[in-house]
Amino acid sequence: MSPPTFDPFVSSDSWLHRRDPRAKLGTTFLLLLAVALIPDGGWLTFALWAVFVLLLAQAGHIPLRALLRRSLLALPFVLGALALPFAVPGKVVVRVPNLGWPLTEPGLVQAGSLILRAWVSVLLFATLTACTRIGDLLWSLEALRVPSVVVAVMEFAFRYLSISIEEWADMLRARRARTVNPRGRGVPLRRQLISAGGMLGTLILRGLDRGERVHAAMVARGYDGGIRRMTRFRFSSLDLLLPITGVLILLVVWLI
Amino acid sequence: MLASPTPLHLPDGFLSPWLAGLGWLLAILVVRRAVIVTGDTLATRQVSLMGLLAAVLFAAQAINIPIAFGTSGHLLGGALAAILVGPWAGVIVMTAVVVLQALLFQDGGLLVMGWNVINMGVLTAFSGYLVYQATRRMFPGRPGARWLAGLVGGWISVETGALATAIELALSGTFPLELGIPAMTSVHALIGLGEGLLTAVTLGFLTAVRPGLFELGEGDRRQLRSVGWVAAGVLLILALSLMAPYASELPDGLEWVASLGGFDGLARQPPLQLLPDYTVPILRDARSSTAVAVLLGSLLLLGMGWFGGRATRTAPSS
C-alpha cells in the first residue's frame, strides 16, 4: 500500500497557490456565507456560482474530476434531502405510481436548492484546500487566534496520520492473512469483537508510545512547547484583493 | 477511499448562516475553556500524546473493521478519547480530528465547523464520559464495570450527537423535526451500538494490558462536575432554541402537522413565547430575527453556565 496522499495538488503552482493562507481561509468563509444566503429556487444564481467555482478551480490548476470526486462526501445528507419533496406541504406535482405518495412543488424546490447549496459549498471548500498546504492552513489558524495548543495537537495528528492509517491497514491485512475465514462467517460475534478490540487497543497503545518517544526526541532537540516554521508569509496587496472580492460578493448577494 | 462519510459530519449549506455563527461561538468558548482547564494539568508531553491519539482515532475512523454479517465497525471515538485522557483533553483531541477531516477531505463543512466540533467533539466526549463514570460507579469494584460503562457510554455519546444534529437541522428549517429526529436517532441507534461495543472491547483490552493508562482520564473528580455544567448548558441552549421557532411566523413542519390534525389555531399560540414580538429592523425575515433572539437567550444561558463552572472550579477539590 502506497502512503496516502492527502493534498495531491498543492505541489503545483498557480496564482491561487501563492496567496496568503489567511486571505484564502477568510475569503472562503465569506464566499460560503454568500452561498448560504442564496434563496430557495434561485436557479440562475446557483448556475452562476457553479461557473464561478469551476473557473476558480481552473485558475488553481485543479483537475475537475478530482474536485467532483471530493464533492461526493456530502452524499448521506443529500440522500436525506430526497425525503423533503414528500414531507413539505404544498401543491402536489406528481404522485409516485402504485404508492400514491405526493411529490410537492415547494418540497422539490427546497430539496433541489439544498443539494445545490451543499454542492457549490463543498466545491468552494475543496478548491481552497487543494491549492493550500495543510501546514500553511494550520499556521493561518494559529495566526487567526486559534489556541496554539489546539493547533499543535492538529499538527502532531496530521504529521502522524499516514503512519497511523498504514499501521491500521497493516493490522487488518495481517489478520486477513492469518485467518482461514477472512470474512468471519460462522465466527461468534464475541470472538470477532474481542479481536477488533485487541487491534484498536494495540493501535492506541502504539500511538501513545510513539507520542512518548517523539516527545523525548523533540525535547532532546530543544522543544519548549512552541512549533517553529520554515515558511513565512507576508500579507501583500494582492492578498488583500481576495477578501475584498469576498466582501463585495457577499454584499451583492445580501442586498439583492 | 480514506474518508468514510457518516451522517454526523454536517456539510455546508445545510444550516442557516445565523445558526452556523452560533455554533462557531459555542465551539470557540468550549475549546478555549478546554485549553484553560487542561493547561493546569497537562505538560508539553501531553500535547504529543493528544496529537498521536487524534491521529489514531482519525485512522480508526477512516478504515472500517469488518465484523460479522458483512457489516463493518466504525469508531467515532469521542467517548473513548474522553475516557482515556479526560473529557476536556478529549475535546481538544476530537476538535483536532474534526478540523483535520474537514481540511483534508471536506468531510464536514467550514461554515458549519462550529457545530461539527460541538456535535462530534464536545457532546460525544462529555455525554460519553458522564455516562461512563455514572455507570462505573453503579458497580463499584466489579471487574466488568468498565466494560459495561464503555458500552453504554459509547452508545449514548453517538445518540447525543445525532439528536443534536437533528435539532440543528430543524432549527435551520432544513429538515422538519418530526422527520429528522426519528431518522437520525434510529440510524444512530445502530451505529451507536457498534460504537459502544468497540469502545467496550477496546477498554477491556487496555484494562488487561495496561491498567495504569486510566489514571489520567478517571483520576480528576473535579472535571466531572465542570463537564456536567457545560453539557447541561449546551443541551439547554439547544432545547431553548427549539422553542424559538414557535414564536416565529416561519411555517415549519410542526405547523404542517398541526394543520393536518385540524388544530391549526392551537399552533398559532406558542406554548412558550420567548422575547415576544422580537424583530430587528435590519433583518428582514422572521427566521433571522428568531435566530438573533435565540442568540441572545443562549448567551444568557451560557453566562450562567460559565459562572456555574467557575464556581465548581474554585471550590476545594474533594
Side-chain angles (χ1 to χ4, degrees):
Chain A
M1 183 179 165
S2 61
T5 43
F6 301 116
D7 34 12
F9 310 113
V10 290
S11 49
S12 56
D13 190 37
S14 76
W15 185 81
L16 216 52
H17 280 73
R18 283 186 297 261
R19 297 283 67 75
D20 190 298
R22 286 169 292 184
K24 279 190 271 192
L25 198 61
T27 310
T28 308
F29 202 89
L30 288 173
L31 291 180
L32 286 175
L33 206 55
V35 172
L37 287 172
I38 302 176
D40 280 358
W43 308 123
L44 186 65
T45 323
F46 280 123
L48 285 175
W49 270 99
V51 171
F52 170 69
V53 176
L54 295 180
L55 283 177
L56 206 63
Q58 276 290 301
H61 299 307
I62 302 156
L64 196 61
R65 184 190 289 261
L67 198 63
L68 291 177
R69 203 178 317 127
R70 285 263 168 130
S71 67
L72 288 179
L73 267 168
L75 210 59
F77 276 94
V78 169
L79 291 179
L82 292 183
L84 281 178
F86 303 100
V88 177
K91 200 179 106 205
V92 176
V93 181
V94 69
R95 281 180 188 276
V96 178
N98 299 327
L99 292 170
W101 293 349
L103 277 165
T104 65
E105 196 188 318
L108 284 173
V109 168
Q110 209 175 319
S113 310
L114 192 61
I115 291 172
L116 280 176
R117 212 177 283 132
W119 187 63
V120 169
S121 301
V122 108
L123 286 179
L124 254 175
F125 192 19
T127 308
L128 160 86
T129 51
C131 65
T132 316
R133 282 178 202 286
I134 295 299
D136 294 344
L137 272 180
L138 292 180
W139 169 82
S140 66
L141 285 183
E142 198 170 354
L144 294 171
R145 304 259 162 206
V146 175
S148 57
V149 175
V150 180
V151 177
V153 169
M154 287 178 202
E155 197 93 39
F156 270 107
F158 174 63
R159 206 162 293 180
Y160 291 95
L161 190 54
S162 291
I163 288 185
S164 303
I165 289 179
E166 274 173 66
E167 202 160 49
W168 186 223
D170 283 351
M171 252 189 258
L172 288 169
R173 188 172 42 187
R175 183 176 82 163
R176 268 204 312 280
R178 61 178 133 73
T179 327
V180 182
N181 179 0
R183 287 196 183 273
R185 284 216 180 81
V187 180
L189 187 62
R190 204 178 101 81
R191 292 251 27 109
Q192 294 195 22
L193 280 172
I194 288 174
S195 146
M199 286 195 295
L200 273 173
T202 308
L203 190 70
I204 288 173
L205 281 186
R206 283 188 192 171
L208 294 180
D209 290 347
R210 181 174 289 122
E212 294 272 2
R213 285 201 306 279
V214 167
H215 180 255
M218 287 173 75
V219 168
R221 289 169 180 79
Y223 176 57
D224 55 1
I227 288 186
R228 289 165 182 75
R229 283 165 218 275
M230 300 295 284
T231 44
R232 290 268 188 281
F233 285 96
R234 260 190 44 233
F235 213 86
S236 69
S237 46
L238 264 179
D239 294 328
L240 202 59
L241 210 62
L242 280 177
I244 289 176
T245 319
V247 169
L248 283 180
I249 290 178
L250 185 59
L251 277 179
V252 168
V253 171
W254 188 299
L255 294 177
I256 285 175
Chain B
M1 185 104 155
L2 279 172
S4 62
T6 49
L8 270 188
H9 294 79
L10 280 168
D12 280 324
F14 273 66
L15 294 187
S16 65
W18 301 103
L19 195 70
L22 176 63
W24 269 97
L25 186 73
L26 274 177
I28 288 169
L29 288 175
V30 176
V31 170
R32 279 190 68 94
R33 189 90 207 134
V35 169
I36 293 169
V37 172
T38 52
D40 296 346
T41 52
L42 300 182
T44 59
R45 191 175 72 95
Q46 255 73 34
V47 172
S48 59
L49 287 188
M50 289 195 286
L52 265 296
L53 188 60
V56 163
L57 289 178
F58 195 131
Q61 274 195 39
I63 308 177
N64 290 349
I65 322 166
I67 299 181
F69 321 121
T71 57
S72 54
H74 178 91
L75 192 74
L76 199 65
L80 190 60
I83 293 165
L84 287 177
V85 293
W88 289 105
V91 164
I92 295 181
V93 169
M94 289 310 288
T95 302
V97 172
V98 170
V99 172
L100 276 180
Q101 274 168 341
L103 290 182
L104 291 173
F105 303 117
Q106 288 75 56
D107 199 3
L110 179 68
L111 205 60
V112 297
M113 193 184 269
W115 280 116
N116 278 334
V117 165
I118 291 284
N119 294 341
M120 284 179 289
V122 178
L123 285 178
T124 56
F126 284 3
S127 65
Y129 186 78
L130 285 172
V131 172
Y132 170 80
Q133 289 286 24
T135 315
R136 217 167 60 91
R137 284 199 191 148
M138 271 187 250
F139 308 96
R142 298 278 184 83
R146 189 174 275 155
W147 197 94
L148 183 69
L151 175 69
V152 185
W155 193 351
I156 298 283
S157 74
V158 170
E159 282 284 35
T160 311
L163 192 65
T165 309
I167 294 177
E168 288 144 25
L169 287 170
L171 282 176
S172 299
T174 308
F175 294 117
L177 199 64
E178 75 275 1
L179 191 71
I181 284 191
M184 288 298 279
T185 49
S186 59
V187 167
H188 285 88
L190 273 176
I191 295 178
L193 188 61
E195 172 94 10
L197 284 170
L198 284 177
T199 306
V201 289
T202 307
L203 289 178
F205 174 83
L206 291 174
T207 310
V209 175
R210 202 177 292 182
L213 195 66
F214 293 90
E215 277 166 21
L216 191 62
E218 292 174 356
D220 197 350
R221 187 165 292 198
R222 247 184 344 158
Q223 293 207 338
L224 197 61
R225 260 196 284 168
S226 63
V227 161
W229 274 103
V230 175
V234 171
L235 289 177
L236 256 172
I237 286 173
L238 280 175
L240 169 83
S241 315
L242 211 54
M243 304 285 178
Y246 283 104
S248 81
E249 309 268 309
L250 181 73
D252 66 352
L254 287 164
E255 286 186 22
W256 175 56
V257 170
S259 69
L260 281 185
F263 38 90
D264 216 2
L266 267 178
R268 296 260 177 267
Q269 286 298 323
L272 173 60
Q273 204 150 13
L274 293 162
L275 305 175
D277 301 316
Y278 191 92
T279 44
V280 185
I282 325 162
L283 310 170
R284 271 169 298 178
D285 61 350
R287 208 190 290 184
S288 317
S289 305
T290 310
V292 172
V294 169
L295 196 77
L296 289 175
S298 309
L299 280 175
L300 206 73
L301 261 176
L302 204 74
M304 278 155 60
W306 205 255
F307 283 110
R310 188 157 285 190
T312 57
R313 265 181 66 74
T314 46
S317 57
S318 49

PDB file of all heavy atoms in Angstrom, chain A residues 111-140:
ATOM      1  N   ALA A 111     -35.626  20.866  -1.757  1.00  0.00           N
ATOM      2  CA  ALA A 111     -34.607  19.808  -1.824  1.00  0.00           C
ATOM      3  C   ALA A 111     -33.548  20.140  -2.862  1.00  0.00           C
ATOM      4  O   ALA A 111     -32.350  20.005  -2.619  1.00  0.00           O
ATOM      5  CB  ALA A 111     -35.274  18.477  -2.140  1.00  0.00           C
ATOM      6  N   GLY A 112     -34.002  20.614  -4.038  1.00  0.00           N
ATOM      7  CA  GLY A 112     -33.058  20.952  -5.103  1.00  0.00           C
ATOM      8  C   GLY A 112     -32.115  22.054  -4.671  1.00  0.00           C
ATOM      9  O   GLY A 112     -30.891  21.961  -4.873  1.00  0.00           O
ATOM     10  N   SER A 113     -32.665  23.097  -4.035  1.00  0.00           N
ATOM     11  CA  SER A 113     -31.834  24.216  -3.598  1.00  0.00           C
ATOM     12  C   SER A 113     -30.834  23.762  -2.551  1.00  0.00           C
ATOM     13  O   SER A 113     -29.664  24.170  -2.561  1.00  0.00           O
ATOM     14  CB  SER A 113     -32.703  25.323  -3.009  1.00  0.00           C
ATOM     15  OG  SER A 113     -33.744  25.633  -3.884  1.00  0.00           O
ATOM     16  N   LEU A 114     -31.297  22.897  -1.653  1.00  0.00           N
ATOM     17  CA  LEU A 114     -30.436  22.400  -0.576  1.00  0.00           C
ATOM     18  C   LEU A 114     -29.244  21.630  -1.152  1.00  0.00           C
ATOM     19  O   LEU A 114     -28.090  21.861  -0.771  1.00  0.00           O
ATOM     20  CB  LEU A 114     -31.264  21.482   0.326  1.00  0.00           C
ATOM     21  CG  LEU A 114     -30.652  21.077   1.641  1.00  0.00           C
ATOM     22  CD1 LEU A 114     -30.399  22.296   2.481  1.00  0.00           C
ATOM     23  CD2 LEU A 114     -31.582  20.114   2.361  1.00  0.00           C
ATOM     24  N   ILE A 115     -29.550  20.736  -2.098  1.00  0.00           N
ATOM     25  CA  ILE A 115     -28.488  19.923  -2.684  1.00  0.00           C
ATOM     26  C   ILE A 115     -27.499  20.811  -3.434  1.00  0.00           C
ATOM     27  O   ILE A 115     -26.281  20.672  -3.297  1.00  0.00           O
ATOM     28  CB  ILE A 115     -29.093  18.850  -3.617  1.00  0.00           C
ATOM     29  CG1 ILE A 115     -29.858  17.820  -2.773  1.00  0.00           C
ATOM     30  CG2 ILE A 115     -28.020  18.175  -4.453  1.00  0.00           C
ATOM     31  CD1 ILE A 115     -30.642  16.833  -3.579  1.00  0.00           C
ATOM     32  N   LEU A 116     -28.023  21.783  -4.209  1.00  0.00           N
ATOM     33  CA  LEU A 116     -27.137  22.670  -4.968  1.00  0.00           C
ATOM     34  C   LEU A 116     -26.275  23.502  -4.026  1.00  0.00           C
ATOM     35  O   LEU A 116     -25.085  23.698  -4.253  1.00  0.00           O
ATOM     36  CB  LEU A 116     -27.963  23.584  -5.874  1.00  0.00           C
ATOM     37  CG  LEU A 116     -28.433  22.938  -7.171  1.00  0.00           C
ATOM     38  CD1 LEU A 116     -29.323  23.883  -7.941  1.00  0.00           C
ATOM     39  CD2 LEU A 116     -27.225  22.551  -8.022  1.00  0.00           C
ATOM     40  N   ARG A 117     -26.889  23.997  -2.940  1.00  0.00           N
ATOM     41  CA  ARG A 117     -26.153  24.844  -1.996  1.00  0.00           C
ATOM     42  C   ARG A 117     -24.997  24.048  -1.365  1.00  0.00           C
ATOM     43  O   ARG A 117     -23.864  24.531  -1.273  1.00  0.00           O
ATOM     44  CB  ARG A 117     -27.115  25.336  -0.905  1.00  0.00           C
ATOM     45  CG  ARG A 117     -26.764  26.699  -0.369  1.00  0.00           C
ATOM     46  CD  ARG A 117     -27.798  27.154   0.648  1.00  0.00           C
ATOM     47  NE  ARG A 117     -29.026  27.608   0.036  1.00  0.00           N
ATOM     48  CZ  ARG A 117     -30.251  27.222   0.422  1.00  0.00           C
ATOM     49  NH1 ARG A 117     -30.382  26.355   1.399  1.00  0.00           N
ATOM     50  NH2 ARG A 117     -31.311  27.707  -0.170  1.00  0.00           N
ATOM     51  N   ALA A 118     -25.311  22.810  -0.957  1.00  0.00           N
ATOM     52  CA  ALA A 118     -24.270  21.970  -0.357  1.00  0.00           C
ATOM     53  C   ALA A 118     -23.173  21.668  -1.369  1.00  0.00           C
ATOM     54  O   ALA A 118     -21.986  21.676  -1.050  1.00  0.00           O
ATOM     55  CB  ALA A 118     -24.884  20.681   0.165  1.00  0.00           C
ATOM     56  N   TRP A 119     -23.589  21.436  -2.617  1.00  0.00           N
ATOM     57  CA  TRP A 119     -22.621  21.042  -3.648  1.00  0.00           C
ATOM     58  C   TRP A 119     -21.677  22.193  -3.984  1.00  0.00           C
ATOM     59  O   TRP A 119     -20.455  22.021  -3.996  1.00  0.00           O
ATOM     60  CB  TRP A 119     -23.380  20.575  -4.892  1.00  0.00           C
ATOM     61  CG  TRP A 119     -22.510  19.990  -5.934  1.00  0.00           C
ATOM     62  CD1 TRP A 119     -21.741  18.876  -5.825  1.00  0.00           C
ATOM     63  CD2 TRP A 119     -22.289  20.513  -7.235  1.00  0.00           C
ATOM     64  NE1 TRP A 119     -21.067  18.664  -7.007  1.00  0.00           N
ATOM     65  CE2 TRP A 119     -21.378  19.646  -7.882  1.00  0.00           C
ATOM     66  CE3 TRP A 119     -22.778  21.618  -7.943  1.00  0.00           C
ATOM     67  CZ2 TRP A 119     -20.950  19.862  -9.186  1.00  0.00           C
ATOM     68  CZ3 TRP A 119     -22.346  21.832  -9.231  1.00  0.00           C
ATOM     69  CH2 TRP A 119     -21.441  20.964  -9.845  1.00  0.00           C
ATOM     70  N   VAL A 120     -22.241  23.390  -4.204  1.00  0.00           N
ATOM     71  CA  VAL A 120     -21.396  24.550  -4.506  1.00  0.00           C
ATOM     72  C   VAL A 120     -20.460  24.830  -3.330  1.00  0.00           C
ATOM     73  O   VAL A 120     -19.269  25.121  -3.516  1.00  0.00           O
ATOM     74  CB  VAL A 120     -22.274  25.780  -4.826  1.00  0.00           C
ATOM     75  CG1 VAL A 120     -21.417  27.033  -4.878  1.00  0.00           C
ATOM     76  CG2 VAL A 120     -22.989  25.599  -6.145  1.00  0.00           C
ATOM     77  N   SER A 121     -20.976  24.683  -2.096  1.00  0.00           N
ATOM     78  CA  SER A 121     -20.147  24.947  -0.914  1.00  0.00           C
ATOM     79  C   SER A 121     -18.969  23.995  -0.848  1.00  0.00           C
ATOM     80  O   SER A 121     -17.834  24.396  -0.577  1.00  0.00           O
ATOM     81  CB  SER A 121     -20.976  24.803   0.364  1.00  0.00           C
ATOM     82  OG  SER A 121     -22.047  25.679   0.358  1.00  0.00           O
ATOM     83  N   VAL A 122     -19.237  22.721  -1.076  1.00  0.00           N
ATOM     84  CA  VAL A 122     -18.175  21.726  -0.950  1.00  0.00           C
ATOM     85  C   VAL A 122     -17.132  21.936  -2.044  1.00  0.00           C
ATOM     86  O   VAL A 122     -15.927  21.795  -1.824  1.00  0.00           O
ATOM     87  CB  VAL A 122     -18.787  20.306  -0.932  1.00  0.00           C
ATOM     88  CG1 VAL A 122     -18.514  19.560  -2.187  1.00  0.00           C
ATOM     89  CG2 VAL A 122     -18.262  19.520   0.249  1.00  0.00           C
ATOM     90  N   LEU A 123     -17.568  22.352  -3.241  1.00  0.00           N
ATOM     91  CA  LEU A 123     -16.619  22.637  -4.323  1.00  0.00           C
ATOM     92  C   LEU A 123     -15.713  23.805  -3.947  1.00  0.00           C
ATOM     93  O   LEU A 123     -14.505  23.773  -4.164  1.00  0.00           O
ATOM     94  CB  LEU A 123     -17.358  22.955  -5.617  1.00  0.00           C
ATOM     95  CG  LEU A 123     -18.009  21.780  -6.351  1.00  0.00           C
ATOM     96  CD1 LEU A 123     -18.717  22.267  -7.600  1.00  0.00           C
ATOM     97  CD2 LEU A 123     -16.969  20.741  -6.732  1.00  0.00           C
ATOM     98  N   LEU A 124     -16.314  24.837  -3.349  1.00  0.00           N
ATOM     99  CA  LEU A 124     -15.544  26.010  -2.919  1.00  0.00           C
ATOM    100  C   LEU A 124     -14.484  25.621  -1.895  1.00  0.00           C
ATOM    101  O   LEU A 124     -13.307  25.983  -2.011  1.00  0.00           O
ATOM    102  CB  LEU A 124     -16.496  27.012  -2.267  1.00  0.00           C
ATOM    103  CG  LEU A 124     -16.871  28.272  -3.022  1.00  0.00           C
ATOM    104  CD1 LEU A 124     -17.897  29.043  -2.241  1.00  0.00           C
ATOM    105  CD2 LEU A 124     -15.651  29.119  -3.294  1.00  0.00           C
ATOM    106  N   PHE A 125     -14.917  24.881  -0.886  1.00  0.00           N
ATOM    107  CA  PHE A 125     -14.037  24.472   0.206  1.00  0.00           C
ATOM    108  C   PHE A 125     -12.919  23.571  -0.332  1.00  0.00           C
ATOM    109  O   PHE A 125     -11.743  23.715   0.038  1.00  0.00           O
ATOM    110  CB  PHE A 125     -14.878  23.747   1.253  1.00  0.00           C
ATOM    111  CG  PHE A 125     -14.185  23.523   2.561  1.00  0.00           C
ATOM    112  CD1 PHE A 125     -13.072  24.253   2.923  1.00  0.00           C
ATOM    113  CD2 PHE A 125     -14.673  22.577   3.455  1.00  0.00           C
ATOM    114  CE1 PHE A 125     -12.449  24.038   4.140  1.00  0.00           C
ATOM    115  CE2 PHE A 125     -14.062  22.361   4.661  1.00  0.00           C
ATOM    116  CZ  PHE A 125     -12.942  23.089   4.996  1.00  0.00           C
ATOM    117  N   ALA A 126     -13.279  22.668  -1.244  1.00  0.00           N
ATOM    118  CA  ALA A 126     -12.277  21.763  -1.808  1.00  0.00           C
ATOM    119  C   ALA A 126     -11.254  22.541  -2.625  1.00  0.00           C
ATOM    120  O   ALA A 126     -10.061  22.214  -2.615  1.00  0.00           O
ATOM    121  CB  ALA A 126     -12.964  20.712  -2.679  1.00  0.00           C
ATOM    122  N   THR A 127     -11.706  23.586  -3.328  1.00  0.00           N
ATOM    123  CA  THR A 127     -10.767  24.403  -4.101  1.00  0.00           C
ATOM    124  C   THR A 127      -9.752  25.067  -3.185  1.00  0.00           C
ATOM    125  O   THR A 127      -8.559  25.092  -3.476  1.00  0.00           O
ATOM    126  CB  THR A 127     -11.537  25.473  -4.895  1.00  0.00           C
ATOM    127  OG1 THR A 127     -12.560  24.848  -5.640  1.00  0.00           O
ATOM    128  CG2 THR A 127     -10.613  26.212  -5.828  1.00  0.00           C
ATOM    129  N   LEU A 128     -10.226  25.573  -2.059  1.00  0.00           N
ATOM    130  CA  LEU A 128      -9.302  26.204  -1.102  1.00  0.00           C
ATOM    131  C   LEU A 128      -8.241  25.222  -0.629  1.00  0.00           C
ATOM    132  O   LEU A 128      -7.041  25.505  -0.682  1.00  0.00           O
ATOM    133  CB  LEU A 128     -10.078  26.723   0.112  1.00  0.00           C
ATOM    134  CG  LEU A 128      -9.222  26.962   1.345  1.00  0.00           C
ATOM    135  CD1 LEU A 128      -8.603  28.342   1.303  1.00  0.00           C
ATOM    136  CD2 LEU A 128     -10.001  26.775   2.622  1.00  0.00           C
ATOM    137  N   THR A 129      -8.682  24.045  -0.180  1.00  0.00           N
ATOM    138  CA  THR A 129      -7.729  23.122   0.419  1.00  0.00           C
ATOM    139  C   THR A 129      -6.825  22.482  -0.632  1.00  0.00           C
ATOM    140  O   THR A 129      -5.710  22.090  -0.321  1.00  0.00           O
ATOM    141  CB  THR A 129      -8.441  22.012   1.206  1.00  0.00           C
ATOM    142  OG1 THR A 129      -9.426  21.434   0.368  1.00  0.00           O
ATOM    143  CG2 THR A 129      -9.090  22.547   2.439  1.00  0.00           C
ATOM    144  N   ALA A 130      -7.321  22.402  -1.870  1.00  0.00           N
ATOM    145  CA  ALA A 130      -6.496  21.770  -2.901  1.00  0.00           C
ATOM    146  C   ALA A 130      -5.305  22.645  -3.268  1.00  0.00           C
ATOM    147  O   ALA A 130      -4.290  22.132  -3.729  1.00  0.00           O
ATOM    148  CB  ALA A 130      -7.347  21.470  -4.137  1.00  0.00           C
ATOM    149  N   CYS A 131      -5.414  23.951  -3.075  1.00  0.00           N
ATOM    150  CA  CYS A 131      -4.302  24.804  -3.502  1.00  0.00           C
ATOM    151  C   CYS A 131      -3.593  25.443  -2.305  1.00  0.00           C
ATOM    152  O   CYS A 131      -2.944  26.468  -2.440  1.00  0.00           O
ATOM    153  CB  CYS A 131      -4.776  25.858  -4.489  1.00  0.00           C
ATOM    154  SG  CYS A 131      -5.912  27.021  -3.781  1.00  0.00           S
ATOM    155  N   THR A 132      -3.728  24.838  -1.109  1.00  0.00           N
ATOM    156  CA  THR A 132      -3.035  25.354   0.067  1.00  0.00           C
ATOM    157  C   THR A 132      -2.459  24.174   0.847  1.00  0.00           C
ATOM    158  O   THR A 132      -3.159  23.176   1.041  1.00  0.00           O
ATOM    159  CB  THR A 132      -4.013  26.117   0.990  1.00  0.00           C
ATOM    160  OG1 THR A 132      -4.840  26.955   0.196  1.00  0.00           O
ATOM    161  CG2 THR A 132      -3.263  26.952   1.994  1.00  0.00           C
ATOM    162  N   ARG A 133      -1.216  24.274   1.275  1.00  0.00           N
ATOM    163  CA  ARG A 133      -0.640  23.215   2.100  1.00  0.00           C
ATOM    164  C   ARG A 133      -1.347  23.161   3.443  1.00  0.00           C
ATOM    165  O   ARG A 133      -1.674  24.197   4.014  1.00  0.00           O
ATOM    166  CB  ARG A 133       0.840  23.490   2.350  1.00  0.00           C
ATOM    167  CG  ARG A 133       1.703  23.154   1.193  1.00  0.00           C
ATOM    168  CD  ARG A 133       3.150  23.498   1.483  1.00  0.00           C
ATOM    169  NE  ARG A 133       3.869  23.665   0.229  1.00  0.00           N
ATOM    170  CZ  ARG A 133       4.218  22.650  -0.551  1.00  0.00           C
ATOM    171  NH1 ARG A 133       3.952  21.423  -0.175  1.00  0.00           N
ATOM    172  NH2 ARG A 133       4.826  22.863  -1.689  1.00  0.00           N
ATOM    173  N   ILE A 134      -1.547  21.933   3.951  1.00  0.00           N
ATOM    174  CA  ILE A 134      -2.234  21.798   5.228  1.00  0.00           C
ATOM    175  C   ILE A 134      -1.430  22.501   6.337  1.00  0.00           C
ATOM    176  O   ILE A 134      -1.992  23.172   7.205  1.00  0.00           O
ATOM    177  CB  ILE A 134      -2.435  20.313   5.574  1.00  0.00           C
ATOM    178  CG1 ILE A 134      -3.374  19.660   4.561  1.00  0.00           C
ATOM    179  CG2 ILE A 134      -3.042  20.168   6.967  1.00  0.00           C
ATOM    180  CD1 ILE A 134      -4.748  20.240   4.509  1.00  0.00           C
ATOM    181  N   GLY A 135      -0.109  22.381   6.252  1.00  0.00           N
ATOM    182  CA  GLY A 135       0.725  23.052   7.247  1.00  0.00           C
ATOM    183  C   GLY A 135       0.489  24.556   7.254  1.00  0.00           C
ATOM    184  O   GLY A 135       0.407  25.180   8.311  1.00  0.00           O
ATOM    185  N   ASP A 136       0.339  25.136   6.050  1.00  0.00           N
ATOM    186  CA  ASP A 136       0.088  26.570   5.960  1.00  0.00           C
ATOM    187  C   ASP A 136      -1.297  26.925   6.499  1.00  0.00           C
ATOM    188  O   ASP A 136      -1.485  27.958   7.146  1.00  0.00           O
ATOM    189  CB  ASP A 136       0.215  27.038   4.508  1.00  0.00           C
ATOM    190  CG  ASP A 136       1.637  26.895   4.001  1.00  0.00           C
ATOM    191  OD1 ASP A 136       2.542  26.726   4.844  1.00  0.00           O
ATOM    192  OD2 ASP A 136       1.842  26.929   2.774  1.00  0.00           O
ATOM    193  N   LEU A 137      -2.268  26.046   6.210  1.00  0.00           N
ATOM    194  CA  LEU A 137      -3.620  26.287   6.729  1.00  0.00           C
ATOM    195  C   LEU A 137      -3.602  26.277   8.252  1.00  0.00           C
ATOM    196  O   LEU A 137      -4.225  27.126   8.905  1.00  0.00           O
ATOM    197  CB  LEU A 137      -4.581  25.210   6.224  1.00  0.00           C
ATOM    198  CG  LEU A 137      -5.268  25.465   4.890  1.00  0.00           C
ATOM    199  CD1 LEU A 137      -6.176  24.300   4.547  1.00  0.00           C
ATOM    200  CD2 LEU A 137      -6.076  26.747   4.936  1.00  0.00           C
ATOM    201  N   LEU A 138      -2.867  25.303   8.838  1.00  0.00           N
ATOM    202  CA  LEU A 138      -2.802  25.228  10.297  1.00  0.00           C
ATOM    203  C   LEU A 138      -2.092  26.457  10.849  1.00  0.00           C
ATOM    204  O   LEU A 138      -2.492  27.015  11.878  1.00  0.00           O
ATOM    205  CB  LEU A 138      -2.074  23.946  10.727  1.00  0.00           C
ATOM    206  CG  LEU A 138      -2.829  22.656  10.418  1.00  0.00           C
ATOM    207  CD1 LEU A 138      -2.031  21.451  10.886  1.00  0.00           C
ATOM    208  CD2 LEU A 138      -4.193  22.660  11.069  1.00  0.00           C
ATOM    209  N   TRP A 139      -1.055  26.918  10.134  1.00  0.00           N
ATOM    210  CA  TRP A 139      -0.362  28.127  10.565  1.00  0.00           C
ATOM    211  C   TRP A 139      -1.329  29.303  10.563  1.00  0.00           C
ATOM    212  O   TRP A 139      -1.342  30.117  11.497  1.00  0.00           O
ATOM    213  CB  TRP A 139       0.815  28.418   9.633  1.00  0.00           C
ATOM    214  CG  TRP A 139       1.393  29.767   9.857  1.00  0.00           C
ATOM    215  CD1 TRP A 139       2.287  30.103  10.830  1.00  0.00           C
ATOM    216  CD2 TRP A 139       1.100  30.964   9.144  1.00  0.00           C
ATOM    217  NE1 TRP A 139       2.567  31.443  10.755  1.00  0.00           N
ATOM    218  CE2 TRP A 139       1.853  31.989   9.727  1.00  0.00           C
ATOM    219  CE3 TRP A 139       0.270  31.266   8.052  1.00  0.00           C
ATOM    220  CZ2 TRP A 139       1.802  33.306   9.261  1.00  0.00           C
ATOM    221  CZ3 TRP A 139       0.225  32.563   7.595  1.00  0.00           C
ATOM    222  CH2 TRP A 139       0.983  33.573   8.193  1.00  0.00           C
ATOM    223  N   SER A 140      -2.178  29.378   9.509  1.00  0.00           N
ATOM    224  CA  SER A 140      -3.103  30.511   9.446  1.00  0.00           C
ATOM    225  C   SER A 140      -4.144  30.418  10.559  1.00  0.00           C
ATOM    226  O   SER A 140      -4.605  31.438  11.066  1.00  0.00           O
ATOM    227  CB  SER A 140      -3.773  30.585   8.077  1.00  0.00           C
ATOM    228  OG  SER A 140      -4.601  29.472   7.863  1.00  0.00           O
TER     229      SER A 140
END
